[in-house]
Amino acid sequence: MFVTSDRRGQPSVPLIRQAAQLRLQAAQLLGYKTNSEFAHEICMAGNPANVHDFESKLLDRLAIAGDREIAELSELKRQDPDDSTGDGKVYAWDVQFYLNRLKQTRYNVDESAIRPYLPTVHVIDQILRFYEHLLHVHVKKVQIPVWHESVDAYEVSDDEFGFLGHIYIDAYPRANKENHPCTMPLRSGFLCADGESRESPAAILITNVSKGSDTQPSLMSHNDLRVVLHELGHVFHVICLRSSYAMFSLMSIEFDFIEAPSQMLENWVWQPEILKRFSKHHVTGQPLPDDLSQAIIAARNVGVPIDGLRRMYQSAFDQAIHNASENVESVDVAQLYSDLRKQIGRLDTGDLVLPAVGIFHHMMSGYDSRFYVYMWGMVFSADMFAQRFAKEGIDNPDTGRDYRREILQPGPTRDAAESLRRFLGREPSDAAFFAALNV
């Protein structure tokens, strides 16, 4: 299954190489040496050298945690009676299987036992209530035209500005629907020509949570909960952003900061009191039991180092083809991607060179030269949570108000670095990120 999935990418391999060459030509026409030099200029990083320094420092420490986790998976495989080799060699297709087994054997995390406590309708409602409290807004379900009967629409307002905008939640899969969870800004907010009235923003949350059946409602996994919390963070960023001009919308925020606010909000799914609040057994109505809640929290970092290394090798590939100043059409991108996946990502495919680069869709969806933003954002998100919410209380209304006013509301109308400094009360630090990984 792993190999078959990777081989889907074969037709796209030449397109990625061609796209990288066209981006290089476009950047050089504008007077830049490389596409990365062009792309980084309007990011927090500023230039490719700063991205390289950030990633080098990060990789040195992340590799320690990643190698430690691979060693744990190797031992599990060595003990597996169903593995005929007995050598404990971990291949790329082994990783997810043994990560799940690690969760089950060491932490007693059973997703099938967790799902009944996370009915989708209840969870989404509770997440909306969470954002109401955190951001000092009011969310009301409304009956307005939508594109499918399963889509829900909501009106958002507050006591200061009144009506803020609309959000749409498109939660369930259907034919020909986008299958990647994401946020779609539908309309930007801006000050109208009369200088007084405003055009209100709107945004869509897209997920594909299981529909359920006649005998059982739609249920979420804990990861689904995390994803919905994250993506609704982007949605409310669209709604809370106050700009005079439509061009200063969510997608105009420095690309290497746009993920950080929503990444920060993922921290709430690891808080026992929040898990209690968000959960409700679809039959008994009881919240998630303490033993399951504690198991989920204890297993929080399982797979995080390996996933971090995945993002690092993908970013290394991105920089390799987009920070080149000469012809890149001759580069064997499939081989390069495969080598980096093995060397940095610790994901070995043996003698197989798979065209997995062809399903690295970020290279064709606006993340070229900027895939580093995920790890960059994780460092800032950990710092924001540790410095303010962990110290002042995860339900502290004053901290939530500061977060809205200093991070969400200004959006791209001021530099993200300045917004961070104002919210943190100091220069940002990577200490909280490394502390969470225990490296």
Side-chain angles (χ1 to χ4, degrees):
M1 288 175 66
F2 182 95
V3 171
T4 301
S5 178
D6 272 7
R7 284 180 173 159
R8 292 177 299 142
Q10 185 60 53
S12 296
V13 171
L15 299 180
I16 287 181
R17 188 168 53 239
Q18 182 184 10
Q21 180 64 25
L22 291 171
R23 289 164 185 152
L24 171 62
Q25 292 173 7
Q28 290 181 339
L29 284 171
L30 293 171
Y32 299 89
K33 293 180 181 178
T34 70
N35 183 59
S36 290
E37 187 179 282
F38 163 67
H40 296 167
E41 185 179 50
I42 56 172
C43 291
M44 291 181 72
N47 58 64
N50 288 337
V51 173
H52 179 269
D53 290 346
F54 165 76
E55 294 194 326
S56 296
K57 179 182 178 183
L58 190 60
L59 183 57
D60 286 344
R61 298 179 69 172
L62 195 58
I64 297 171
D67 287 337
R68 187 166 59 210
E69 193 160 61
I70 289 290
E72 291 181 297
L73 302 188
S74 177
E75 184 58 31
L76 281 175
K77 187 177 180 182
R78 189 177 291 111
Q79 297 171 4
D80 190 346
D82 293 326
D83 179 55
S84 59
T85 65
D87 62 4
K89 175 70 174 176
V90 176
Y91 290 96
W93 42 80
D94 292 321
V95 171
Q96 194 56 54
F97 177 83
Y98 287 105
L99 282 175
N100 287 336
R101 180 163 290 186
L102 182 63
K103 287 183 179 181
Q104 293 167 358
T105 57
R106 178 172 298 179
Y107 299 101
N108 199 30
V109 173
D110 181 0
E111 280 291 350
S112 65
I114 296 168
R115 282 181 178 272
Y117 290 92
L118 298 175
T120 300
V121 172
H122 172 78
V123 171
I124 289 177
D125 179 71
Q126 288 303 303
I127 293 177
L128 292 174
R129 302 289 81 76
F130 161 78
Y131 277 112
E132 279 190 315
H133 176 78
L134 179 76
L135 303 178
H136 300 265
V137 297
H138 310 295
V139 181
K140 182 176 70 173
K141 194 170 184 178
V142 291
Q143 298 299 319
I144 57 177
V146 293
W147 51 95
H148 191 269
E149 60 184 10
S150 64
V151 175
D152 291 322
Y154 299 84
E155 179 181 291
V156 185
S157 61
D158 73 357
D159 295 334
E160 181 178 2
F161 301 113
F163 176 67
L164 296 174
H166 286 109
I167 63 177
Y168 299 86
I169 298 182
D170 192 343
Y172 307 106
R174 61 179 178 273
N176 302 316
K177 178 188 168 184
E178 167 67 54
N179 61 11
H180 182 69
C182 59
T183 296
M184 296 282 191
L186 186 62
R187 186 177 62 236
S188 298
F190 58 89
L191 190 64
C192 296
D194 60 17
E196 296 181 3
S197 57
R198 288 188 65 86
E199 179 68 30
S200 59
I204 311 167
L205 165 68
I206 295 178
T207 67
N208 283 277
V209 182
S210 174
K211 277 185 178 179
S213 66
D214 293 338
T215 59
Q216 182 172 280
S218 171
L219 303 173
M220 287 187 177
S221 67
H222 183 259
N223 187 60
D224 291 330
L225 168 60
R226 181 184 63 82
V227 169
V228 171
L229 194 66
H230 174 109
E231 294 301 336
L232 273 175
H234 288 309
V235 168
F236 278 99
H237 203 159
V238 173
I239 299 300
C240 293
L241 201 159
R242 303 289 291 185
S243 168
S244 296
Y245 303 98
M247 67 176 294
F248 293 114
S249 63
L250 179 73
M251 302 312 293
S252 296
I253 293 171
E254 288 103 318
F255 213 79
D256 43 9
F257 189 70
I258 197 169
E259 292 293 338
S262 284
Q263 288 171 324
M264 191 271 292
L265 289 158
E266 292 180 30
N267 283 282
W268 270 260
V269 305
W270 308 108
Q271 312 305 315
E273 60 268 48
I274 297 299
L275 287 175
K276 288 274 190 186
R277 188 187 309 169
F278 286 175
S279 60
K280 178 182 179 182
H281 195 282
H282 71 96
V283 175
T284 68
Q286 295 298 307
L288 196 69
D290 290 341
D291 58 339
L292 281 179
S293 176
Q294 290 164 6
I296 290 170
I297 295 167
R300 173 178 182 173
N301 281 333
V302 172
V304 172
I306 289 176
D307 189 61
L309 290 177
R310 172 185 66 83
R311 295 186 186 277
M312 294 300 290
Y313 83 71
Q314 290 179 313
S315 182
F317 170 82
D318 175 27
Q319 292 303 309
I321 66 170
H322 289 119
N323 198 33
S325 58
E326 299 178 358
N327 192 320
V328 294
E329 284 197 294
S330 61
V331 175
D332 186 340
V333 292
Q335 183 70 59
L336 175 62
Y337 191 86
S338 184
D339 290 344
L340 291 171
R341 180 157 73 169
K342 181 177 181 179
Q343 295 162 10
I344 296 176
R346 277 55 171 177
L347 299 178
D348 195 344
T349 56
D351 295 331
L352 293 173
V353 178
L354 299 169
V357 65
I359 55 174
F360 184 20
H361 65 86
H362 291 79
M363 293 300 92
M364 305 297 281
S365 61
Y367 282 79
D368 50 282
S369 292
R370 297 176 291 193
F371 191 75
Y372 74 93
V373 301
Y374 285 100
M375 297 307 294
W376 182 280
M378 286 177 70
V379 171
F380 292 135
S381 69
D383 196 21
M384 285 191 286
F385 182 77
Q387 175 68 8
R388 295 295 309 270
F389 288 101
K391 289 182 178 179
E392 299 167 13
I394 60 171
D395 272 337
N396 188 314
D398 293 331
T399 312
R401 185 180 289 107
D402 284 350
Y403 170 72
R404 177 181 170 185
R405 288 181 175 173
E406 300 296 352
I407 299 296
L408 302 188
Q409 202 162 294
T413 64
R414 71 181 182 206
D415 288 348
E418 176 62 20
S419 294
L420 258 179
R421 281 191 292 268
R422 292 196 187 190
F423 180 67
L424 294 171
R426 57 161 172 75
E427 292 294 326
S429 164
D430 59 12
F433 174 77
F434 288 119
L437 288 178
N438 194 29
V439 294

